[in-house]
């Protein structure tokens, strides 16, 4: 196998492993409540809406006590927070 082929394969494998590590869901076990959930801002409206809806659902279900929302650059007078 060529060394030139191994480098991209190793890079992709490393990125996939890192993505799996970062994407772990850190929710408390059923029946327990987290003190707070962080909702990070994003430039894409669909991502913002999805994150906020998920955070609101967790809050209304009693899974978290507080939501901490970060915002971004204002667009049309509105911010994500």
């Amino acid at each position: 196998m060529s060394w030139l082929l191994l480098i991209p394969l190793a890079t992709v494998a490393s990125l996939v492993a890192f993505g799996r590590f970062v994407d772990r869901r850190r929710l408390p076990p059923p029946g327990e409540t987290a003190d707070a959930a962080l909702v990070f801002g994003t430039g894409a409206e669909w991502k913002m809406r999805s994150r906020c809806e998920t955070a609101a659902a967790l809050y209304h279900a009693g899974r978290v006590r507080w939501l901490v929302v970060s915002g971004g650059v204002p667009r049309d007078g509105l911010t994500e927070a």
Side-chain angles (χ1 to χ4, degrees):
M1 188 177 272
S2 171
W3 285 102
L4 293 176
L5 183 60
L6 287 177
I7 293 172
L9 288 175
T11 301
V12 169
S14 297
L15 291 173
V16 168
F18 180 72
R20 287 242 191 231
F21 174 76
V22 170
D23 194 39
R24 291 185 191 172
R25 305 294 173 168
R26 306 276 185 190
L27 295 175
E32 292 186 24
T33 302
D35 291 329
L38 301 175
V39 183
F40 296 105
T42 177
E45 183 179 344
W46 67 271
K47 284 184 182 179
M48 174 196 61
R49 185 175 311 280
S50 175
R51 290 177 184 179
C52 289
E53 288 172 355
T54 300
L58 290 170
Y59 176 80
H60 290 296
R63 300 295 306 273
V64 295
R65 291 186 182 102
W66 295 94
L67 296 175
V68 181
V69 183
S70 69
V73 177
R75 290 188 182 174
D76 301 325
L78 299 173
T79 65
E80 295 167 338

